Amino acid sequence: MFKLAVLMLLVVLFYGLALGQTVTSFDGIDASKLAHKQLDFDPNGAVGTKQYMEWVNVYFQAFNKSNFAPVWSAPQSGTQPWVKNGLNKCASISGDGVIIFDRLASRWVIAGHSNGNGTYYYCVAVSNTDDLSSSTLRWHTYQFYLTPVLGKNSQGHVYFPDWPKLGTWGDAYYVSFDLLDTDNKYAPIGVVACALDRTEMLAGKTPKPMQCFSDPSPIPVNGSYYLAHSLIPADFEGTTAAPAGRDEFMVSIQNPPNDGHSTTSNSINLWDFHVDWVNPANSTFVKSSLSVPSYTPGCYNVNFPARTVCVPEPSVNSANENYHIDSVGDRLMPRMPYRNFGTYESFLVSQTVQIGIDGNKQTGIRWYELRGSGTPALYQSGTIDAGSKYIFRMMPSIDQDNVGNAAVGYSVSSVAIHPGIRASWWNLPNDTAPKELNIKTGIGDEENSTQWGDYTSMTVDPVDQCTFWYVNEYFPANQTGTSINWNTRIGKFKVSTCTAAKK
């Protein structure tokens, strides 16, 4: 009877999805195309004026926006821009790569951290054109020496710069890092945020020294478990720049107290980064707290907050237990798009939260909108669960178009459906109810790892300012043993109420 009820529920859900917004999607990079594939591959990308560009560990590819044809015959090595320019410190990038499209300059930006053994660089490449198919495409490449700003533990080992996230702002590219203690089960002990000299980087010139701040400051040699990790920098969207002199802002989760029993939080963190390139002594990095509706991070484990594995798949193991994957619920998720509507300024961010009760760890998507011309404050928030008692939603990324329609993409999975890709959209000014869309129905499960990437990305077309583009992962068949057979899917859709931006 239970199986019949689940089947009927799925029929209703998929019928409703089929009647929703028109979605076009196509396969992006898949593991079979890579010489050296990884289990944890962090699919993300961005839409530009002429192409969509995607990153997986550690390769990139671009696709024509009209016919989805790949720009290059095969995915390019993620280290290629630096190696070609002779920057040998970035000849090996371990992962955590990101791609953004700098809408203020119409340029592409690729970034990731180098492999280390205690010596780390942040590798950034900025294109000289918006057209990745151009014969004149060149990359301005930079290798920023991170080791001096990362701190060391009591054994003298440099903290590992994990999960870097990059954002475009008028006065700089801003990047954040988690500091992980390699001698203490890679526990987070703090964060570092840096401003990179965007003006000189766009011109292909030598940038001024990066400006970095840490929290805690100074960085401890015996740090306790840090509960505000994984900062997300604001990333510019739209055609109206932020007011002159506007500071960059970042956000991060505030996990519940690590006391072995607390499971809820009612705040997130806001970070105000003011950079002064003329007089760096005037630069500041200030943390404050924003009160939000109470939440439990997705798959929260009071004994090990970073262990957020609870999302079930249909496949079962030899003990007849469902395989599970990671919700990455212990942090806010990129992106944090900023859009200036003239009459107000809006920031968005999302996370995975627990929506089940009475021991049910089912997860859904929590989103926040911040507004304000000075220090932004929480304006509104909501939780997306689409009324389902069985489906887990996680790994979100959010954005909004030029009339305030928001869209968030995410993964879905349950004991009855293979991990797939969906999105929901709603209108922020009118606070309408979210409507869910299907981007890719799951086909297979991941049985040989709990890792489900670490992040995805939703971006809006900079030309029409209406079309949402989203990338995430799925499996064409069960991944078992030592096999690696993931695929990525890139979907696009437009809300009918959005009107294309005037040129």
Side-chain angles (χ1 to χ4, degrees):
M1 193 70 181
F2 173 78
K3 290 183 177 179
L4 178 60
V6 172
L7 179 61
M8 292 177 64
L9 172 66
L10 294 177
V11 169
V12 171
L13 283 172
F14 282 108
Y15 180 74
L17 290 170
L19 294 179
Q21 204 77 22
T22 300
V23 177
T24 302
S25 68
F26 60 98
D27 271 349
I29 303 173
D30 68 71
S32 69
K33 296 183 175 71
L34 308 183
H36 304 286
K37 41 187 171 279
Q38 300 182 21
L39 283 168
D40 186 16
F41 60 97
D42 303 340
N44 71 97
V47 58
T49 50
K50 297 176 176 63
Q51 291 96 13
Y52 184 90
M53 193 175 186
E54 180 190 10
W55 168 276
V56 300
N57 290 338
V58 283
Y59 297 83
F60 60 85
Q61 177 62 284
F63 304 90
N64 184 285
K65 282 165 56 176
S66 299
N67 59 17
F68 314 136
V71 169
W72 302 291
S73 59
Q76 304 293 289
S77 168
T79 60
Q80 182 253 11
W82 297 273
V83 171
K84 189 173 182 179
N85 289 350
L87 272 65
N88 60 5
K89 303 300 183 183
C90 293
S92 179
I93 295 178
S94 61
D96 284 333
V98 295
I99 289 176
I100 61 176
F101 187 72
D102 182 340
R103 287 156 177 78
L104 292 167
S106 286
R107 303 283 191 86
W108 294 95
V109 183
I110 308 173
H113 63 70
S114 68
N115 283 331
N117 293 325
T119 302
Y120 300 103
Y121 288 81
Y122 192 54
C123 308
V124 184
V126 182
S127 69
N128 67 338
T129 176
D130 64 336
D131 188 357
L132 296 167
S133 65
S134 172
S135 60
T136 63
L137 171 66
R138 300 291 183 272
W139 294 96
H140 305 313
T141 48
Y142 304 92
Q143 49 188 23
F144 294 93
Y145 189 34
L146 287 178
T147 300
V149 304
L150 299 177
K152 296 180 180 180
N153 64 17
S154 57
Q155 286 95 333
H157 297 148
V158 178
Y159 291 119
F160 181 75
D162 194 43
W163 220 67
K165 294 296 167 281
L166 188 69
T168 300
W169 206 245
D171 57 9
Y173 293 121
Y174 289 87
V175 61
S176 61
F177 304 90
D178 287 341
L179 300 177
L180 304 188
D181 189 344
T182 57
D183 295 308
N184 186 23
K185 300 179 182 179
Y186 286 84
I189 63 90
V191 293
V192 164
C194 300
L196 312 179
D197 186 359
R198 174 177 171 270
T199 299
E200 298 302 298
M201 294 168 71
L202 285 168
K205 298 179 180 179
T206 301
K208 298 179 181 69
M210 62 181 180
Q211 296 190 33
C212 299
F213 293 88
S214 72
D215 191 78
S217 180
I219 298 171
V221 296
N222 289 297
S224 58
Y225 197 98
Y226 189 79
L227 300 174
H229 59 83
S230 306
L231 277 60
I232 312 295
D235 189 28
F236 177 83
E237 282 277 13
T239 57
T240 304
R246 182 79 155 118
D247 287 353
E248 163 73 318
F249 288 91
M250 302 181 178
V251 289
S252 70
I253 196 172
Q254 183 60 42
N255 277 293
N258 189 20
D259 56 13
H261 61 83
S262 297
T263 61
T264 60
S265 177
N266 59 7
S267 68
I268 61 175
N269 296 295
L270 181 70
W271 307 78
D272 184 332
F273 199 145
H274 171 75
V275 68
D276 188 329
W277 291 112
V278 176
N279 186 356
N282 291 334
S283 297
T284 57
F285 185 60
V286 179
K287 175 186 176 184
S288 60
S289 181
L290 294 176
S291 295
V292 299
S294 179
Y295 63 90
T296 296
C299 301
Y300 191 72
N301 184 332
V302 295
N303 297 314
F304 190 10
R307 177 70 176 174
T308 51
V309 177
C310 77
V311 178
E313 302 173 294
S315 297
V316 296
N317 58 25
S318 58
N320 203 33
E321 298 170 337
N322 292 90
Y323 286 96
H324 291 80
I325 52 178
D326 192 350
S327 73
V328 195
D330 66 329
R331 64 199 68 197
L332 302 183
M333 299 298 288
R335 297 168 55 244
M336 183 189 179
Y338 162 89
R339 190 177 282 269
N340 186 353
F341 287 95
T343 56
Y344 67 95
E345 300 171 64
S346 175
F347 302 80
L348 294 177
V349 72
S350 58
Q351 68 177 128
T352 302
V353 297
Q354 184 173 316
I355 59 173
I357 58 174
D358 298 329
N360 175 12
K361 286 202 169 185
Q362 183 192 356
T363 58
I365 307 302
R366 169 71 66 81
W367 59 268
Y368 307 98
E369 183 186 15
L370 311 183
R371 292 190 186 183
S373 57
T375 301
L378 180 67
Y379 180 76
Q380 60 180 330
S381 66
T383 303
I384 295 171
D385 62 12
S388 167
K389 293 173 60 179
Y390 308 104
I391 297 176
F392 288 65
R393 292 167 175 81
M394 83 290 191
M395 205 70 66
S397 183
I398 194 169
D399 206 342
Q400 65 178 310
D401 63 24
N402 70 349
V403 298
N405 293 311
V408 61
Y410 43 84
S411 294
V412 294
S413 187
S414 75
V415 296
I417 64 169
H418 304 291
I421 307 169
R422 297 187 190 177
S424 289
W425 71 269
W426 64 103
N427 184 267
L428 289 165
N430 296 324
D431 192 23
T432 60
K435 298 181 180 179
E436 188 165 68
L437 317 171
N438 190 45
I439 294 176
K440 179 63 181 178
T441 300
I443 302 172
D445 297 337
E446 183 177 31
E447 297 183 8
N448 57 358
S449 174
T450 60
Q451 293 178 318
W452 193 256
D454 284 325
Y455 45 94
T456 63
S457 55
M458 178 75 79
T459 56
V460 172
D461 195 305
V463 178
D464 70 4
Q465 295 293 325
C466 286
T467 304
F468 293 96
W469 293 72
Y470 180 65
V471 62
N472 201 335
E473 66 182 276
Y474 75 98
F475 286 82
N478 286 6
Q479 181 175 274
T480 61
T482 59
S483 67
I484 300 178
N485 61 272
W486 48 259
N487 275 21
T488 64
R489 193 79 175 176
I490 301 163
K492 69 168 191 170
F493 58 92
K494 174 183 174 182
V495 179
S496 60
T497 57
C498 185
T499 55
K502 295 180 180 179
K503 296 182 180 180

